Amino acid sequence: TQSAVINWGGALMTKITEEGEDQNDDAGTAFQMGKVSSSTSEYQFFAVKLSTSEDAVMPWCMESCSLQENVANPIIKGDTCLIDNVCYDAGATAELFGRPCLVCNPGLTQTEWSFGP
């Protein structure tokens, strides 16, 4: 077992624990600390935001949000998408994430990337 503790300031702390065989393999584990995996040729990173001291701000592409049976149901403005809590105009691509063929297409879905034309 390997463990690491990251102190973010104040009382916020993250503990990473990895268990099992081959903990130092080259498959993109939490303990590579920025090392590029030779098997996937990409960095892997995981982050969690637990709370904030700022007031909540509704994303600009949302008209409203209702709560039904403990599930948030956003009403998203036309010609926009709300994907992973980020607003995009219709036609915006996921090129920033290395996926240039994925596009915001509100005609198909306003909450997931769609395959482009």
Side-chain angles (χ1 to χ4, degrees):
T1 301
Q2 295 185 49
S3 304
V5 175
I6 302 168
N7 289 302
W8 300 98
L12 186 58
M13 178 174 52
T14 301
K15 181 177 181 182
I16 302 170
T17 304
E18 183 176 338
E19 297 179 350
E21 295 180 24
D22 298 326
Q23 294 172 13
N24 290 314
D25 64 6
D26 197 21
T29 67
F31 295 96
Q32 289 181 335
M33 300 300 178
K35 181 179 177 186
V36 178
S37 171
S38 63
S39 62
T40 62
S41 299
E42 60 186 28
Y43 285 100
Q44 296 184 7
F45 179 77
F46 179 78
V48 175
K49 183 176 182 179
L50 302 175
S51 66
T52 181
S53 60
E54 298 178 14
D55 291 335
V57 176
M58 188 164 44
W60 62 265
C61 61
M62 283 180 50
E63 290 182 358
S64 64
C65 188
S66 63
L67 188 64
Q68 297 173 346
E69 297 179 18
N70 290 330
V71 175
N73 294 299
I75 305 301
I76 304 168
K77 296 177 184 176
D79 293 329
T80 64
C81 295
L82 180 65
I83 302 169
D84 296 328
N85 209 35
V86 176
C87 295
Y88 298 94
D89 287 315
T93 68
E95 185 173 2
L96 176 66
F97 309 109
R99 307 288 191 256
C101 293
L102 298 179
V103 64
C104 164
N105 184 346
L108 294 176
T109 176
Q110 289 184 288
T111 57
E112 296 179 9
W113 294 109
S114 302
F115 286 101

